[in-house]
Amino acid sequence: MAKIPPGVGPKHPQVVVLIGATGDLSRRKLLPGLFHLSSSGFIPGCQIVGVSLDDIDADGFRKIARDAVAEFSMRPLNDSDWDAFAKTLSYVPLKSGAAKLKDAVAAAESALGRECRRLHYLSVPPDAALSAVKLLGEAGLVERSQIIMEKPFGTDLASAKSLNAKLHGVFTEDQIFRIDHFLGKEPAQNILAFRFANGLFEPIWNRNFIDHVQIDVPEAIGLGKRAGFYEQTGAFRDMVVTHLFQILAFMAMEPPTSLEPAPISEEKNKVFRSMVPIDPANVVRGQYNGYRAEAGVDPESDVETFIALKCEIDNWRWAGVPFFLRTGKRLAEGQRIISIAFREPPKSMFPANSGVGAQGPDHLTFDLADASKMSLSFYGKRPGPGMRLDKLSLQFAMHDTGLVGDVLEAYERLILDAMRGDRTLFTTAEGIERLWEVSMPLLQEPPPVRLYPQGSWGPKSIHQLVAPHAWRLPFERAWRDPNRAGS
């Protein structure tokens, strides 16, 4: 086993109260993640108390967890690691109430044998979150604890303020960790390193050199079993407020005084304060053909399964630079791309048929997939007589480092951060409320949804939204395959 770097894990053993322990997120991400963190030594002792509606016992929960780890873990499962992990699992049916939960946590803490901390993970639908918070309060499990909450954090400004007020009636703000798994991904954090550690790019990260920015997260998948949830939220609430705006803040923030949670959160919140309220005229809402026929969907639903919008940040660094955001379901490809377009130099010195400018401006592109990639495109001379230019690119992939095996899955990283009390990658109450505030013009007067074919890139009107620029997806060239010889 690789040696764990100091400071990566928490100082104290952890009792994890996993509410919604038998649900889809728990099975796909949380249980496999906790298994990896425990078996790899990231946590100096861990006990997990599962809580859900299912009327099962601890052995039933262990079977669910074993099946989940076997199916969804990205790493091999061996019997000795599993046997050790299984001993850390206990279970309390939700109907047993606060007293039984309190007893189960006390037994877990006793098994750890020394001072420990509690991490409560609310892997539950939004309408069940406050009842779970109430349960934890009644069980006396607030002290020495952190609580992780899943999105969405409200559905508008009023509901976000109400939710935060009720949360603060039980937990203090510094105990609450509003999770966005996009920010837990290695490439998202690499944006900070790339921006602030490199003398080549830090001086040009502003309106004088950058023409526009695109944050593009199309999804090829549909809704699965989430139609009921989606009917209440739609693409904007589900993806933009909780994911894409957070990535935008990493892209646009000023240099923090240090890479500590408080300075980074403050710089992100400054970006949110500088955002111009969203103009519905700068928004395209779409719905894929066939959505209204799916189970659980209103036959006359106007919920958007696609959204594209233009954002503006009215501050010294970014005034006049448009940020284009796009996401949706049933699109042509699943991608997670940030693309920065640089301003173009004058072209007068090049002959008319040279090809310069024919393929758009130079771009710096981040691929936010788990195994990250970056690309810098530029014009270069084509070999041979005359002055003909082609678009070329420099590309980097995490595979090139040989360290791709060290990458933590997003939920694993964020769980570790919450255990350590590190709020760098989490959202504050102030930040969430401000984002809903700038979203209110759109929520109050949304443009009509436009139908788009499944497998497309969205409604045709997205091209008018981004004009005179063009969307970077689909790419004019593919990423090079790092495993192909000669690439």
Side-chain angles (χ1 to χ4, degrees):
M1 185 192 312
K3 185 177 180 181
I4 306 302
V8 171
K11 295 179 180 179
H12 301 279
Q14 303 285 318
V15 173
V16 178
V17 178
L18 182 53
I19 302 180
T22 60
D24 188 63
L25 175 63
S26 180
R27 291 176 56 253
R28 288 179 176 273
K29 296 293 184 181
L30 306 182
L31 288 168
L34 287 166
F35 170 75
H36 174 238
L37 294 176
S38 297
S39 61
S40 298
F42 283 97
I43 309 171
C46 183
Q47 291 280 321
I48 299 169
V49 180
V51 182
S52 81
L53 292 170
D54 291 341
D55 189 11
I56 56 176
D57 59 11
D59 285 338
F61 179 47
R62 292 184 186 110
K63 182 181 186 309
I64 290 172
R66 171 78 190 226
D67 292 344
V69 172
E71 182 176 358
F72 297 112
S73 177
M74 297 182 292
R75 302 167 181 90
L77 171 65
N78 64 65
D79 290 339
S80 60
D81 285 344
W82 170 255
D83 291 343
F85 184 68
K87 293 175 183 177
T88 71
L89 302 177
S90 58
Y91 185 83
V92 178
L94 190 62
K95 68 179 183 180
S96 297
K100 290 291 187 182
L101 177 58
K102 182 177 182 178
D103 292 343
V105 171
E109 291 179 339
S110 177
L112 289 170
R114 60 190 180 97
E115 182 183 1
C116 56
R117 298 289 185 268
R118 302 161 180 160
L119 179 71
H120 308 309
Y121 200 119
L122 272 54
S123 178
V124 296
D127 57 3
L130 287 176
S131 61
V133 170
K134 181 181 178 183
L135 174 68
L136 294 169
E138 291 174 348
L141 300 177
V142 175
E143 292 184 1
R144 295 182 285 110
S145 71
Q146 324 280 8
I147 180 169
I148 296 179
M149 299 192 64
E150 282 286 335
K151 67 178 178 74
F153 316 111
T155 56
D156 55 21
L157 180 58
S159 62
K161 286 184 173 180
S162 175
L163 175 61
N164 283 328
K166 291 174 181 176
L167 287 174
H168 293 156
V170 181
F171 292 91
T172 61
E173 176 63 20
D174 62 359
Q175 291 179 290
I176 302 168
F177 291 73
R178 300 167 185 82
I179 196 167
D180 171 20
H181 72 272
F182 268 47
L183 294 189
K185 294 180 178 295
E186 194 78 33
Q189 296 170 73
N190 203 25
I191 293 170
L192 295 181
F194 194 92
R195 280 193 60 189
F196 300 128
N198 291 297
L200 178 61
F201 291 101
E202 191 279 331
I204 63 172
W205 210 268
N206 57 60
R207 59 189 170 86
N208 296 320
F209 298 93
I210 292 177
D211 184 75
H212 66 278
V213 177
Q214 295 182 26
I215 302 175
D216 212 350
V217 187
E219 296 181 288
I221 60 173
L223 301 179
K225 299 178 180 179
R226 301 173 70 227
F229 165 79
Y230 218 76
E231 275 289 280
Q232 302 300 314
T233 55
F236 180 77
R237 290 179 171 95
D238 183 43
M239 289 291 292
V240 177
V241 176
T242 51
H243 291 328
L244 274 63
F245 281 165
Q246 305 301 322
I247 294 294
L248 182 150
F250 266 33
M251 284 294 305
M253 64 190 278
E254 295 296 319
T257 54
S258 67
L259 291 178
E260 295 294 325
I264 289 179
S265 291
E266 175 57 19
E267 295 305 333
K268 286 171 57 183
N269 285 341
K270 286 180 183 177
V271 173
F272 300 148
R273 292 179 209 134
S274 300
M275 287 177 65
V276 177
I278 298 168
D279 184 349
N282 292 328
V283 178
V284 175
R285 296 171 69 238
Q287 186 184 92
Y288 64 76
N289 289 321
Y291 170 75
R292 295 175 183 175
E294 296 200 13
V297 174
D298 184 340
E300 299 182 357
S301 174
D302 67 348
V303 169
E304 78 279 357
T305 61
F306 170 97
I307 192 157
L309 63 152
K310 181 172 77 171
C311 297
E312 297 174 271
I313 301 173
D314 188 16
N315 63 16
W316 191 261
R317 182 181 292 266
W318 296 112
V321 178
F323 287 74
F324 297 102
L325 281 56
R326 176 173 63 168
T327 187
K329 303 290 187 183
R330 298 287 187 193
L331 297 176
E333 295 178 26
Q335 293 275 9
R336 295 166 182 170
I337 295 294
I338 300 172
S339 187
I340 297 101
F342 294 102
R343 293 194 182 277
E344 295 188 76
K347 304 295 194 304
S348 57
M349 64 181 287
F350 293 96
N353 62 350
S354 67
V356 66
Q359 297 184 54
D362 300 335
H363 283 85
L364 175 64
T365 303
F366 295 88
D367 184 338
L368 298 188
D370 287 326
S372 62
K373 293 175 284 191
M374 286 179 278
S375 173
L376 179 63
S377 69
F378 56 93
Y379 283 99
K381 183 184 178 301
R382 182 185 301 176
M387 181 57 72
R388 291 286 298 167
L389 281 75
D390 288 326
K391 207 60 176 290
L392 309 172
S393 68
L394 298 172
Q395 295 188 9
F396 160 82
M398 183 65 71
H399 290 279
D400 298 336
T401 67
L403 299 175
V404 69
D406 293 346
V407 174
L408 285 177
E409 201 275 334
Y411 280 98
E412 296 172 356
R413 178 183 301 280
L414 292 169
I415 287 171
L416 270 186
D417 283 354
M419 287 178 172
R420 294 191 297 118
D422 185 338
R423 302 169 57 81
T424 302
L425 302 177
F426 296 86
T427 308
T428 66
E430 176 193 342
I432 281 293
E433 291 178 11
R434 173 57 184 165
L435 289 175
W436 285 120
E437 185 178 3
V438 301
S439 301
M440 289 311 295
L442 170 61
L443 298 178
Q444 291 167 347
E445 296 185 28
V449 293
R450 302 172 184 269
L451 297 179
Y452 62 93
Q454 296 187 35
S456 70
W457 289 101
K460 293 182 179 178
S461 52
I462 62 172
H463 302 295
Q464 284 82 47
L465 174 68
V466 78
H469 315 295
W471 292 101
R472 281 280 283 162
L473 286 176
F475 284 138
E476 67 272 12
R477 68 182 65 79
W479 290 98
R480 285 196 289 270
D481 182 356
N483 299 311
R484 182 167 55 86
S487 64

